[in-house]
């Protein structure tokens, strides 16, 4: 899965969407459990169209969808037999995870599952050694990690048995309890699954969230996650949305480091995606689809960190990612001192204008005759101000080997 599925859609959805405040409304607003569960009686998202959401992801170049089967509130968005606190006991009465899974299969999109270990409903789940817990256990709770892990194992068995092939499992909030038997169970049920590092053992991949780690390339498998919303992962009525440029820069940086990226949207209580979320996914998707070959190439910034750009490379191709806000419409690419065979601006497929020129900025005073190096000019920096410009240079030789010999 890892390299074929670089880019995915995260979907945070649950009864918290009825409030339109945040997916952690119950805890932040300190809503008593007996009050909060009444949201389930109002949950009837008749506008939910699984095919529409899956096709939005597919058209954006995404190859999998990660769905919150259960978030911290403990409400289950699938037909589970281990608690009545689930989607079948709402006015909607249908298994949303099954609807989403079937749409994923119809459109050849992978299905990943998110499962929260904090559970503000289950009486044994309170875990003082972890985070994202209620301030105090609910009245009548009996915190007991072994009993709760049994519940988790039973539910994860349902999720790994009844919904076809699951490409990855996103445990959320490390419990700070080591128990290798949980992921062993998952792997016996789903032999090809990849599991993140937020569960009961180290898992298969790390999960930087909203932040961009330092460095030029990830040394271990990595899936970064971010939401289109600044404040919330679940639906928020008055959400502030990130700019397209910010999200393109974030995706570009992570992928230039060799990481995967999953970007989150939150359907509202009707099952619709907010207009601004759809607009962002479509805009980012158009950019990603035109530039994605640059992300299949390998990280190269550690070999050629010029112009504050990021670089990826495969054999004779060098991809230049103008990830920062461009300071000018040209790029000096010393030490390259010959022209590429082809130069394409991936954002629009047009030719990039390349020249061999001597640059005063590269001449030590009177010490050496000006040497000509590769220069790219007249880049359309205004036209693509709200995305990352990526240029593909194709040479007659392995450009990275050439550069490595020079530095
Ligand atoms: O608390 C959750 C949050 O609501 C959201 O689900 C993110 C997504 O990775 N995980 C936790 C915060 O790290």
């Amino acid at each position: 899965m890892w390299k074929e599925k670089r880019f995915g859609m995260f979907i945070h959805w649950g009864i918290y969407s009825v409030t339109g405040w945040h997916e952690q409304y119950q805890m932040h607003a300190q809503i008593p459990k007996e009050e909060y569960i009444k949201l389930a009686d109002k949950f009837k998202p008749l506008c939910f169209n699984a095919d529409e959401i899956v096709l939005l992801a597919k058209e954006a170049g995404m190859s999998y969808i990660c769905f919150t089967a259960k978030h911290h509130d403990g409400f289950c968005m699938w037909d589970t037999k281990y608690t009545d606190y689930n989607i079948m006991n709402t006015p909607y009465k249908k298994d949303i995870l099954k609807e989403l899974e079937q749409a994923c299969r119809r459109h050849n999109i992978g299905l990943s599952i998110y499962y929260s270990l904090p559970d503000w409903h289950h009486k044994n789940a309170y875990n003082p050694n972890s985070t994202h817990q209620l301030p105090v256990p609910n009245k009548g709770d009996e915190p007991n990690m072994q009993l709760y892990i049994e519940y988790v194992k039973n539910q994860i068995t349902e999720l790994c048995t009844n919904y076809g092939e699951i490409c990855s499992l996103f445990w959320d909030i490390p419990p700070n309890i080591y128990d290798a038997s949980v992921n062993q169970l998952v792997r016996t049920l789903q032999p090809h699954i990849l599991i993140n590092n937020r569960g009961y053992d180290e898992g298969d991949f790390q999960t930087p969230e909203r932040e961009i780690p330092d460095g030029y390339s990830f040394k271990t498998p990595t899936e970064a996650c971010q939401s289109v919303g600044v404040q919330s992962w679940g639906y928020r009525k008055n959400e502030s949305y990130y700019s397209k440029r910010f999200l393109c820069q974030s995706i570009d940086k992570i992928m230039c480091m060799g990481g995967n990226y999953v970007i989150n949207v939150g359907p509202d209580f009707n099952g619709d995606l907010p207009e601004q979320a759809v607009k962002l996914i479509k805009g980012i998707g158009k950019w990603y689809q035109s530039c994605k070959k640059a992300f299949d190439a390998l990280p190269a910034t550690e070999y050629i960190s010029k112009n504050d750009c990021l670089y990826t490379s495969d054999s004779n191709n060098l991809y230049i990612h103008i990830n920062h806000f461009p300071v000018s419409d040209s790029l000096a690419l010393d030490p390259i001192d010959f022209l590429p065979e082809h130069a394409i601006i991936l954002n629009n497929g047009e030719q990039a204008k390349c020249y061999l020129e001597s640059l005063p900025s590269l001449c030590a005073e009177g010490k050496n005759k000006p040497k000509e190096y590769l220069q790219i000019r007249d880049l359309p920096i205004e036209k693509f101000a709200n995305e990352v410009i990526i240029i593909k240079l194709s040479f007659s030789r392995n450009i990275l080997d050439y550069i490595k010999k020079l530095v």
Side-chain angles (χ1 to χ4, degrees):
M1 169 210 162
W2 205 248
K3 279 304 163 206
E4 311 82 69
K5 297 192 182 339
R6 296 291 307 276
F7 190 35
M9 178 184 274
F10 213 159
I11 300 177
H12 273 65
W13 198 24
I15 57 173
Y16 43 76
S17 61
V18 172
T19 69
W21 193 79
H22 186 281
E23 72 277 359
Q24 297 174 33
Y25 175 70
Q26 180 181 351
M27 184 256 282
H28 288 307
Q30 298 194 9
I31 308 294
K33 176 175 165 180
E34 58 276 10
E35 276 308 305
Y36 183 83
I37 60 176
K38 291 175 184 171
L39 291 174
D41 302 333
K42 299 176 186 169
F43 194 67
K44 193 175 184 181
L46 296 178
C47 297
F48 176 55
N49 181 325
D51 289 286
E52 208 170 84
I53 291 184
V54 169
L55 285 171
L56 174 69
K58 185 164 189 171
E59 281 148 24
M62 297 167 175
S63 49
Y64 66 103
I65 288 180
C66 184
F67 181 68
T68 54
K70 185 193 82 163
H71 204 261
H72 306 341
D73 60 2
F75 184 78
C76 301
M77 295 289 273
W78 80 98
D79 183 4
T80 175
K81 62 172 186 279
Y82 294 100
T83 175
D84 293 336
Y85 194 45
N86 73 66
I87 189 70
M88 305 310 284
N89 300 317
T90 68
Y92 190 65
K93 299 188 191 314
K94 288 185 283 183
D95 184 332
I96 279 183
L97 178 60
K98 178 55 75 178
E99 288 183 299
L100 192 61
E101 182 232 341
Q102 289 169 338
C104 284
R105 306 308 176 208
R106 280 193 290 272
H107 303 294
N108 193 26
I109 285 269
L111 177 66
S112 292
I113 287 180
Y114 165 108
Y115 186 94
S116 168
L117 293 173
D119 185 317
W120 302 332
H121 187 82
H122 192 280
K123 68 175 184 175
N124 300 134
Y126 183 80
N127 176 0
N129 299 317
S130 179
T131 60
H132 298 74
Q133 307 292 310
L134 291 175
V136 291
N138 295 305
K139 204 165 46 212
D141 278 0
E142 299 158 12
N144 181 319
M145 280 301 100
Q146 287 319 310
L147 290 178
Y148 181 58
I149 289 175
E150 278 318 301
Y151 175 77
V152 169
K153 284 181 169 180
N154 288 331
Q155 288 207 317
I156 216 73
T157 297
E158 284 183 321
L159 292 168
C160 290
T161 305
N162 304 332
Y163 297 91
E165 181 166 340
I166 306 299
C167 51
S168 61
L169 175 58
F170 193 110
W171 291 117
D172 207 7
I173 310 300
N176 299 322
I177 298 167
Y178 187 86
D179 182 343
S181 69
V182 184
N183 281 354
Q184 280 164 5
L185 167 65
V186 173
R187 296 185 199 281
T188 54
L189 296 165
Q190 292 280 341
H192 304 294
I193 199 166
L194 291 167
I195 305 172
N196 80 355
N197 63 341
R198 300 191 186 185
Y200 292 94
D201 68 28
E202 61 283 352
D204 303 310
F205 61 92
Q206 59 174 341
T207 53
E209 175 177 320
R210 288 200 189 271
E211 304 297 330
I212 309 275
D214 293 333
Y216 291 125
S217 66
F218 292 116
K219 305 307 177 204
T220 58
T222 300
E223 177 194 72
C225 59
Q226 174 61 291
S227 186
V228 293
V230 175
Q231 295 294 331
S232 181
W233 296 74
Y235 169 65
R236 175 175 173 78
K237 185 168 176 289
N238 302 325
E239 182 59 280
S240 326
Y241 287 90
Y242 285 112
S243 67
K244 177 183 158 188
R245 174 168 190 87
F246 173 84
L247 293 170
C248 287
Q249 281 177 297
S250 173
I251 294 163
D252 183 65
K253 170 77 174 164
I254 290 290
M255 291 201 171
C256 280
M257 294 171 72
N260 292 6
Y261 202 99
V262 60
I263 188 161
N264 174 78
V265 293
D268 66 17
F269 48 87
N270 283 321
D272 284 320
L273 285 180
E275 260 177 49
Q276 277 184 276
V278 173
K279 186 176 174 211
L280 273 169
I281 296 296
K282 285 183 173 175
I284 292 164
K286 183 172 177 292
W287 165 78
Y288 181 80
Q289 289 280 38
S290 55
C291 297
K292 67 182 176 182
K293 63 170 73 84
F295 302 124
D296 293 338
L298 297 173
T301 307
E302 52 201 299
Y303 306 111
I304 172 170
S305 52
K306 288 275 310 162
N307 306 299
D308 263 349
C309 292
L310 298 176
Y311 295 83
T312 51
S313 177
D314 54 27
S315 68
N316 295 8
N317 300 313
L318 180 68
Y319 297 92
I320 307 168
H321 305 243
I322 308 181
N323 188 280
H324 63 289
F325 203 81
V327 294
S328 97
D329 66 358
S330 61
L331 291 174
L333 287 164
D334 55 286
I336 300 173
D337 53 5
F338 49 89
L339 289 171
E341 308 224 303
H342 305 286
I344 303 289
I345 300 165
L346 293 182
N347 306 61
N348 60 6
E350 292 181 7
Q351 295 282 331
K353 297 174 186 169
C354 295
Y355 306 88
L356 286 180
E357 292 179 8
S358 59
L359 298 177
S361 60
L362 296 179
C363 292
E365 284 173 31
K367 292 211 175 73
N368 54 339
K369 188 172 173 307
K371 186 168 186 241
E372 294 188 333
Y373 291 106
L374 177 57
Q375 172 92 341
I376 300 176
R377 287 189 172 287
D378 302 332
L379 287 165
I381 57 173
E382 308 300 342
K383 183 175 180 184
F384 295 113
N386 68 347
E387 58 189 73
V388 174
I389 293 176
I390 303 178
I391 304 146
K392 177 183 180 183
L393 301 181
S394 303
F395 294 92
S396 57
R397 65 183 83 173
N398 183 309
I399 189 64
L400 213 46
D401 287 349
Y402 176 81
I403 291 167
K404 285 179 187 173
K405 286 191 188 104
L406 291 175
V407 293

